[in-house]
Amino acid sequence: MSETSAAAPRAAGVLIAGGAGQKIAVIAAFIVLIAALAVISSVVSGLTPDGTAGSVYPNDFSAFWAAGRLALEAGPVAVLDQQQLIAVQRYPEEAAGAYFPFAYPALWLAVSTIPGALPYALAWPLFVVMTLLAMSLASAWALRVAGEGSVPVWPAVLMLLGTPLLFFVLVAGQTTLLWTALAMAGLAALGTKRPLLGGALLGMLAFKPQLGPMIAVALLSYGALHRDGRRAVLAAAASVLAGLALPTLWTGVDYWPAWLGAVSTMGAQVEGADEARRVMLSWYALARGLGLDHMAALALHVTLALILAGALAIAWARPLPARTFGFRAGALLIAVPMAGPSSWYYEALIPAAGCALIAMAEAASPLGGRPGASRAMRPLLLAAWLLPGLLVPLQPVLMLSSITAPLFSTLVLLAVMRSLAEQDDTAHQTAP
């Protein structure tokens, strides 16, 4: 048996022990995708004609769609007025009191005008299919880089598509799929020595600025000692600036004070909303749930986030052997929702992508069978892949952050340790 064929079951097997990993990956992806598409199809078939009450389903995508439509009809600043946005969100009568706010930068508002120009019943499923396809293709590229081309990528892609959380992300119509697609493609470009493309793609992630701090830590650390890293940082900065400046030519500068006001209002609402915090991922949400006040919980959250950022900085500032890519990139994606106090359940899909990258790196690693961080990491990878989606329906009795905050933080540190071990082994092999 060749080395490649022997490694074939390991990509999924790192998450689900043994060769059964591939079969489980296929079954899980089939169940999640069919269930989500069945629910979406059922809901869409019951919507009324465009522009009437009941023509919009109350989910996260309805906020993007309504904002895009309202911006086309009444101007960009109007989308930050709660009453005007509610008037466009034509929910069924039984959900008439629901409201999904829009508090995104101008770049995402500009993008939202595309679905906003379409009837909601067409825009929602089209958005889901297109972003799902984008994430699948970008993930296949990044996973191929993580596996160094020696391990088939399809088991890991299917494991990502089979994570139970994906069902809720698809039904919600969230931007997480697109964010993950850009992140995976940007990281893959860095891993294949395309720093300008990688930096530009990672800079586009600024359409969700609350998820950006850990990305900035990794890029700046990489750029501190490496020429390719500096080029990536410059490309990312140019991408961010373009994403700010170009849409502002359309929205006008008045959009930004109104946007800051909307963000501040949402932050105050989250601070006082015990029920909402039950579906958050962060140390802040966990600390508040355990009884700490706002400032104490925030201080704990910032302290632990800085520890994770420091670990990432150490890993990304060192030389970049190809076989460490999956561990570094995986650690980064798992850390992303740990930076923001108000990261939500659907953003646990980003750590799931990080787990897939680590699984591919494990499958390709010559250290994979040795004791150490690897052995401790494998059950945690499985937990990060499986638990968030299973626990979302249990949020009335169990805070999601009680699992995700310690789980994701531990995985980041273990993945960094694994990356450093790979680097040390590479250095030892190449030493004269």
Side-chain angles (χ1 to χ4, degrees):
M1 182 180 294
S2 69
E3 182 180 348
T4 300
S5 61
R10 293 183 60 195
V14 169
L15 294 175
I16 306 290
Q22 289 189 30
K23 294 179 182 178
I24 294 176
V26 172
I27 294 170
F30 178 82
I31 291 174
V32 168
L33 295 177
I34 292 299
L37 294 177
V39 169
I40 293 171
S41 297
S42 175
V43 170
V44 167
S45 66
L47 295 176
T48 62
D50 188 37
T52 62
S55 61
V56 179
Y57 177 69
N59 65 353
D60 291 298
F61 177 75
S62 70
F64 317 143
W65 175 87
R69 174 157 292 197
L70 183 58
L72 293 173
E73 294 176 350
V77 179
V79 307
L80 301 172
D81 183 311
Q82 178 174 333
Q83 295 306 315
Q84 292 192 65
L85 194 62
I86 288 175
V88 182
Q89 294 172 334
R90 299 181 178 92
Y91 298 143
E93 291 184 4
E94 59 271 20
Y99 168 60
F100 286 81
F102 184 91
Y104 281 77
L107 175 60
W108 186 246
L109 178 60
V111 174
S112 296
T113 60
I114 300 173
L118 302 173
Y120 177 86
L122 173 61
W124 176 27
L126 184 62
F127 176 81
V128 165
V129 171
M130 295 299 291
T131 55
L132 182 64
L133 180 61
M135 188 190 74
S136 300
L137 293 175
S139 297
W141 182 19
L143 292 166
R144 184 174 295 107
V145 177
E148 300 180 61
S150 64
V151 183
V153 301
W154 67 265
V157 173
L158 289 175
M159 288 302 292
L160 179 55
L161 296 179
T163 179
L165 183 71
L166 183 63
F167 170 84
F168 297 100
V169 175
L170 294 174
V171 173
Q174 252 296 334
T175 59
T176 315
L177 290 166
L178 180 60
W179 196 98
T180 305
L182 289 170
M184 293 289 262
L187 290 169
L190 292 185
T192 53
K193 306 299 182 183
R194 297 177 174 90
L196 295 180
L197 175 61
L201 290 170
L202 293 176
M204 293 180 187
L205 298 175
F207 79 88
K208 292 195 82 167
Q210 69 272 28
L211 297 180
M214 292 298 185
I215 300 289
V217 166
L219 275 180
L220 291 173
S221 300
Y222 184 37
L225 298 175
H226 307 287
R227 180 182 177 186
D228 279 354
R230 288 189 286 274
R231 296 173 71 192
V233 169
L234 291 174
S239 181
V240 171
L241 290 175
L244 291 172
L246 294 178
T248 303
L249 297 176
W250 167 60
T251 63
V253 294
D254 291 344
Y255 180 83
W256 294 107
W259 174 73
L260 289 173
V263 170
S264 177
T265 298
M266 284 188 63
Q269 291 172 346
V270 169
E271 180 184 338
D274 292 337
E275 183 177 349
R277 288 196 299 270
R278 302 190 72 83
V279 287
M280 292 181 182
L281 310 176
S282 65
W283 284 106
Y284 171 82
L286 176 57
R288 289 301 305 273
L290 295 176
L292 273 68
D293 63 26
H294 169 68
M295 291 307 299
L298 189 61
L300 174 65
H301 175 91
V302 170
T303 299
L304 294 173
L306 287 174
I307 292 172
L308 297 181
L312 284 176
I314 292 171
W316 278 81
R318 291 164 64 101
L320 192 62
R323 76 189 203 199
T324 69
F325 166 78
F327 297 110
R328 296 172 190 251
L332 172 57
L333 292 184
I334 295 169
V336 160
M338 291 294 95
S342 60
S343 53
W344 297 87
Y345 72 94
Y346 43 78
E347 285 154 355
L349 185 67
I350 301 169
C355 290
L357 288 170
I358 294 171
M360 286 296 287
E362 282 285 343
S365 170
L367 296 181
R370 302 184 192 178
S374 171
R375 187 169 296 173
M377 197 186 310
R378 294 183 184 188
L380 298 178
L381 289 173
L382 175 59
W385 172 79
L386 180 65
L387 289 180
L390 296 183
L391 296 179
V392 166
L394 299 179
Q395 56 88 13
V397 295
L398 178 68
M399 292 185 299
L400 191 57
S401 58
S402 65
I403 302 296
T404 55
L407 173 61
F408 291 166
S409 299
T410 302
L411 269 173
V412 171
L413 297 177
L414 287 175
V416 167
M417 290 170 56
R418 196 72 172 84
S419 170
L420 298 179
E422 291 281 349
Q423 292 173 29
D424 292 342
D425 186 68
T426 300
H428 176 75
Q429 291 179 3
T430 57

